[in-house]
């Protein structure tokens, strides 16, 4: 695999685990957040990087709240690939479905990361059925090794596109 750069944008509903995923990949990751009574939420962007097979991978996380659509549009510009993080410990939500439909329509590679698989109520097998033939990984974003293994496997599928 030749050296190069890859911009991957991470999408997902509020609280799905996008910031946790990026932090697991890069402990030096940065993010812009607001403190709320429900915990912290991303209001602008997450940024982290990793080197995978001599490729510089730049990860940009987006806010999960619907009202930040304009931020998602700005951050998405020029992306080479997308990741959709899904909390599979709760019932599938409409916003996840709409993000999935929008991303599937775009001509960019997509990986779905079924997150929070460590929680007792999680059901990755059921969640998987909502994502058709897409590339799906089961992760626990707070576990670096599982997050990194999934990201590496996704990046390897992109090698031919670079
Ligand atoms: N048990 C468990 N908790 C997780 C996991 N991933 C994230 N969390 C928790 O879920 C909550 C939300 O995680 P974030 O990474 O902030 O979610 P986000 O998608 O960035 O949220 P927004 O930026 O507000 O859209 C935090 O309390 C995390 O600690 C996981 O794999 N397992
Ligand atoms: Mg976040």
């Amino acid at each position: 695999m030749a050296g190069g750069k890859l911009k991957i944008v991470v999408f997902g509903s509020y609280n799905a685990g996008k910031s946790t995923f990026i932090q697991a990949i890069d402990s030096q990751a940065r993010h812009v957040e607001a403190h709320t009574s429900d915990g912290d939420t991303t209001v602008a962007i997450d940024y982290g990087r990793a080197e995978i097979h001599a490729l510089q991978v730049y990860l940009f996380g987006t806010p999960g709240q619907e009202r930040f659509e304009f931020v998602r549009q700005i951050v998405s510009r020029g992306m080479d690939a997308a990741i959709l993080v899904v909390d599979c410990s709760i019932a599938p939500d409409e916003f996840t479905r709409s993000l999935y439909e929008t991303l599937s329509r775009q001509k960019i590679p997509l990986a779905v990361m079924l997150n929070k698989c460590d929680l007792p109520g999680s059901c990755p097998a059921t969640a998987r059925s909502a994502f058709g033939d897409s590339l799906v990984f089961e992760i626990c974003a707070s576990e670096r090794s599982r997050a990194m293994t999934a990201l590496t496997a996704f990046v390897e599928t992109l090698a031919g596109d670079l």
Side-chain angles (χ1 to χ4, degrees):
M1 221 178 283
K5 292 179 180 171
L6 202 55
K7 174 178 177 178
I8 300 182
V9 180
V10 182
F11 298 87
S13 285
Y14 170 71
N15 214 42
K18 303 173 291 296
S19 298
T20 307
F21 175 76
I22 293 173
Q23 190 70 42
I25 298 297
D26 179 3
S27 58
Q28 306 284 303
R30 298 278 178 265
H31 62 159
V32 183
E33 66 185 20
H35 302 288
T36 72
S37 54
D38 287 337
D40 295 340
T41 185
T42 305
V43 290
I45 197 173
D46 297 271
Y47 170 72
R49 54 169 296 280
E51 191 177 316
I52 299 176
H53 300 310
L55 267 175
Q56 294 300 322
V57 178
Y58 299 96
L59 289 172
F60 292 87
T62 55
Q65 295 182 61
E66 297 195 43
R67 64 199 171 95
F68 289 121
E69 175 59 25
F70 70 102
V71 179
R72 284 187 291 277
Q73 286 187 9
I74 292 166
V75 176
S76 302
R77 280 184 201 147
M79 66 179 160
D80 298 300
I83 287 175
L84 177 63
V85 178
V86 178
D87 180 348
C88 67
S89 71
I90 54 169
D93 63 284
E94 197 48 52
F95 186 52
T96 297
R97 256 192 291 271
S98 110
L99 282 171
Y100 177 67
E101 276 164 26
T102 305
L103 291 168
S104 301
R105 273 198 301 271
Q106 297 180 24
K107 299 253 173 294
I108 47 144
L110 170 67
V112 177
M113 303 274 178
L114 299 178
N115 189 35
K116 306 197 186 183
C117 290
D118 57 308
L119 291 179
S122 77
C123 194
T126 308
R128 198 175 264 271
S129 60
F131 302 106
D133 293 337
S134 301
L135 193 57
V136 177
F137 298 93
E138 296 175 16
I139 63 164
C140 170
S142 43
E143 243 180 67
R144 184 182 190 274
S145 62
R146 254 171 110 171
M148 195 45 141
T149 302
L151 179 63
T152 302
F154 181 38
V155 166
E156 285 169 355
T157 69
L158 304 175
D161 299 333
L162 297 174

